Amino acid sequence: MKIRLIVLILLLFPIFVHAQYDYSMQLPIRDPSTGMPMSRPNTPKLETVKPLSRNYKEKMQAKLEKEERKLVKLAEKSWKIELDLREKKATLKTLENNTNDPDHEKNVEKQKELITKIEEELKKAKAEEEISSKKVADLELAVEDAKFRRTE
């Protein structure tokens, strides 16, 4: 069994050596008539195809559309927060009117804390919406300028 393993290794050894041999290290092929090294024929280089790119005006228009979509999402977010705030204020009024509950003060305080958190979220959402609306206005101006810009 050991002999078969050794014979198998000896038979497969040249295959592994051949696979690891670096042919770039070989001596160049020589022309038999002149004795000079033969050079490989130069293959023509293919032209690289550039991807289709949009011009400046189209890029600015795409940025504007993207920012407008973002603005709509932010407006929807702030609108949902406003609705949630109105709902929480209504529940606060009902809690203040309901004095039968033994944990009346705790529930009112929790509701007030929740309302303040929601108001802070609403302020942040409104600020983001305002920033985004300014970006949209700036991009609209850039698109108008891009219409008159000459592209080469």
Side-chain angles (χ1 to χ4, degrees):
M1 185 70 177
K2 290 181 183 181
I3 295 175
R4 288 184 184 169
L5 180 63
I6 293 172
V7 170
L8 181 66
I9 291 173
L10 290 176
L11 288 174
L12 293 177
F13 185 71
I15 294 172
F16 292 117
V17 170
H18 184 70
Q20 294 178 356
Y21 186 72
D22 188 11
Y23 290 101
S24 63
M25 302 290 283
Q26 282 184 354
L27 294 174
I29 301 172
R30 298 201 178 267
D31 186 14
S33 61
T34 61
M36 298 291 294
M38 292 175 53
S39 63
R40 294 191 175 111
N42 291 336
T43 56
K45 292 185 179 180
L46 300 174
E47 293 182 19
T48 57
V49 179
K50 292 183 180 179
L52 296 175
S53 62
R54 298 188 286 185
N55 61 16
Y56 181 74
K57 179 181 170 185
E58 291 172 345
K59 287 179 185 177
M60 293 307 292
Q61 186 68 31
K63 284 183 182 179
L64 175 63
E65 291 170 0
K66 181 180 176 184
E67 197 63 37
E68 285 175 344
R69 286 192 299 270
K70 183 179 176 184
L71 179 62
V72 168
K73 287 180 183 178
L74 289 173
E76 287 176 358
K77 179 182 174 184
S78 64
W79 187 63
K80 287 179 182 178
I81 293 173
E82 279 183 35
L83 289 177
D84 191 33
L85 180 64
R86 288 180 189 165
E87 181 183 320
K88 297 298 179 186
K89 284 184 178 181
T91 56
L92 176 65
K93 286 183 181 179
T94 58
L95 282 175
E96 288 174 347
N97 293 337
N98 186 7
T99 57
N100 298 338
D101 193 16
D103 296 331
H104 174 70
E105 289 297 319
K106 289 182 182 178
N107 292 337
V108 170
E109 289 301 317
K110 285 181 183 178
Q111 197 67 24
K112 285 182 180 179
E113 289 175 5
L114 189 60
I115 287 174
T116 55
K117 287 180 183 178
I118 293 174
E119 286 175 345
E120 290 173 6
E121 288 179 22
L122 182 62
K123 286 179 184 177
K124 288 179 184 177
K126 290 286 185 180
E128 288 176 359
E129 186 178 343
E130 186 178 328
I131 290 170
S132 182
S133 64
K134 287 180 182 178
K135 284 183 182 178
V136 167
D138 292 341
L139 285 173
E140 285 175 350
L141 291 175
V143 167
E144 288 298 319
D145 291 342
K147 288 181 182 177
F148 302 111
R149 183 177 174 189
R150 179 174 283 186
T151 57
E152 296 176 5

